[in-house]
Amino acid sequence: MYRTLITCTTLALAAGAAAPVLAQSADQYPGKPIRLVIPFPPGGGTDILSRVIANKLTEATKWTIVPENKAGAGGTIGITEAAKAPATGYEMVMGQKDNLILGPYLYKNLPWNPTKDLTPVAHIAYTPVIIATSVNSPYKSIADVVAAAKASPSKITYGSPGNGTSIHIAGHMFEKAAGVQLTHVPYKGSNPALMDAIAGNVDLLVSSIPSAIAQIKAGKLRPLAVTSAKRSTSLPDVPTMQEQGMKGFDVSTWYGLFMPAGTPADITAKMNAEVNKLLAKPETQEAILAQGAEPKAMSIAEFDKMYRADFSNSKAVVEASGATIQ
């Protein structure tokens, strides 16, 4: 009995000693660098916003955030890597509507499920899509493009950052809304599409605003329309598609941080709190607005609700657009 008492007491003390260690470990997160996977090439909107957040978060918290580009397949390759990573809080990915919401309906047999294998951590921003052309282009408005496309079906080309993106969907929706046929030219990211549009190698660029705003402000691209229901704060002089006769046209994308499903809730809560503090700062808001995106903080619950609703509703949007992956 004495030996039993000693054993039970020892176990109780061991259990009691373990609790503070676990709590201390959670309190001290992060204890090493955090990798941020960027599922698109350098220079595009996702890359730019990811690096703004990584740099600002490092400055504010003294954490080490290491951005790493893992591009390909409309952003789904980087998402795959993040979804399969250990759920320890040291792997994040900058996901967005393109790869998480639309990609699963366009790419068959993806090795992850967006609502089961990833957990939303922090919403960052949203942005409309922009339709632009070279400053040397003959097109001065969406009406000019529609008239030319009706006169020569499939002759007008538009470049996008790749198949399976909201930008790809926006191009198809433009065709359907206007009753025209365009030719889609998918690139491996926004930057090569942007360069070819400036050079006139494609007639139109369909892009996120963060990817294109610098070249628009530099006078190398002529913006024709934004695809959201209201005008962009960053480009207030650019009319919407609805203002140019495309009734009900409303396409935008969002950006947010995700971790692998199963990441401890106290870690995701801590990351959400720190990111939301950042988004409340005027300097962070200005940095995001300067890139053409609209900052918007959310709780994890709010982000998760929006994310799941978007995924549920997007199947009909993809089917209505007619977009497919060749």
Side-chain angles (χ1 to χ4, degrees):
M1 180 175 178
Y2 178 75
R3 291 186 63 179
T4 302
L5 180 61
I6 292 293
T7 302
C8 292
T9 304
T10 303
L11 289 173
L13 287 172
V21 172
L22 290 173
Q24 187 178 39
S25 177
D27 289 343
Q28 290 183 344
Y29 170 85
K32 63 180 182 179
I34 300 167
R35 185 172 72 135
L36 172 57
V37 176
I38 305 170
F40 285 97
T46 306
D47 179 69
I48 293 167
L49 286 176
S50 296
R51 293 177 186 278
V52 166
I53 293 301
N55 291 339
K56 295 288 185 185
L57 197 56
T58 297
E59 290 172 8
T61 63
K62 308 308 178 187
W63 300 350
T64 302
I65 313 294
V66 183
E68 184 177 341
N69 297 87
K70 291 285 182 178
T76 60
I77 289 177
I79 295 293
T80 299
E81 184 162 325
K84 300 300 181 183
T88 58
Y90 292 96
E91 299 282 345
M92 289 196 302
V93 64
M94 182 66 82
Q96 17 110 302
K97 192 171 184 177
D98 294 0
N99 43 37
L100 290 173
I101 301 300
L102 303 176
Y105 292 117
L106 291 165
Y107 290 90
K108 304 303 180 185
N109 302 316
L110 286 175
W112 47 267
N113 182 302
T115 59
K116 294 180 180 179
D117 297 326
L118 291 161
T119 186
V121 175
H123 185 274
I124 302 298
Y126 65 92
T127 175
V129 173
I130 192 158
I131 300 174
T133 189
S134 166
V135 290
N136 299 316
S137 163
Y139 309 123
K140 304 292 195 299
S141 67
I142 290 296
D144 290 345
V145 175
V146 172
K150 287 186 174 180
S152 301
S154 300
K155 183 178 179 181
I156 294 178
T157 56
Y158 73 93
S160 85
N163 285 316
T165 63
S166 58
I167 294 162
H168 178 198
I169 298 297
H172 275 280
M173 290 181 70
F174 175 23
E175 291 180 276
K176 290 178 75 69
V180 299
Q181 292 180 348
L182 307 175
T183 296
H184 177 219
V185 182
Y187 289 80
K188 292 182 179 180
S190 297
N191 212 42
L194 184 75
M195 294 299 103
D196 263 9
I198 291 171
N201 296 329
V202 287
D203 297 304
L204 302 173
L205 173 72
V206 185
S207 169
S208 68
I209 292 179
S211 298
I213 193 167
Q215 299 301 335
I216 290 170
K217 290 187 173 181
K220 295 181 180 181
L221 283 174
R222 178 187 300 134
L224 302 179
V226 292
T227 63
S228 50
K230 64 179 184 178
R231 294 193 181 196
S232 164
T233 303
S234 303
L235 296 170
D237 296 331
V238 181
T240 66
M241 292 288 278
Q242 292 191 33
E243 289 177 288
Q244 298 182 76
M246 306 290 169
K247 186 177 179 180
F249 204 106
D250 185 8
V251 179
S252 60
T253 192
W254 48 255
Y255 304 86
L257 297 175
F258 291 76
M259 288 181 177
T263 300
D266 55 352
I267 288 178
T268 58
K270 188 170 186 176
M271 182 64 72
N272 177 269
E274 292 299 337
V275 171
N276 286 352
K277 285 180 193 176
L278 273 188
L279 295 176
K281 294 181 177 181
E283 58 267 31
T284 305
Q285 295 174 5
E286 289 168 10
I288 292 173
L289 286 167
Q291 299 304 327
E294 314 271 346
K296 184 175 178 61
M298 291 185 182
S299 68
I300 290 178
E302 289 170 334
F303 188 18
D304 184 69
K305 182 179 179 180
M306 183 203 78
Y307 174 58
R308 290 177 184 277
D310 253 9
F311 182 67
S312 177
N313 296 334
S314 288
K315 183 177 182 179
V317 173
V318 172
E319 289 175 350
S321 76
T324 57
I325 300 297
Q326 301 296 327

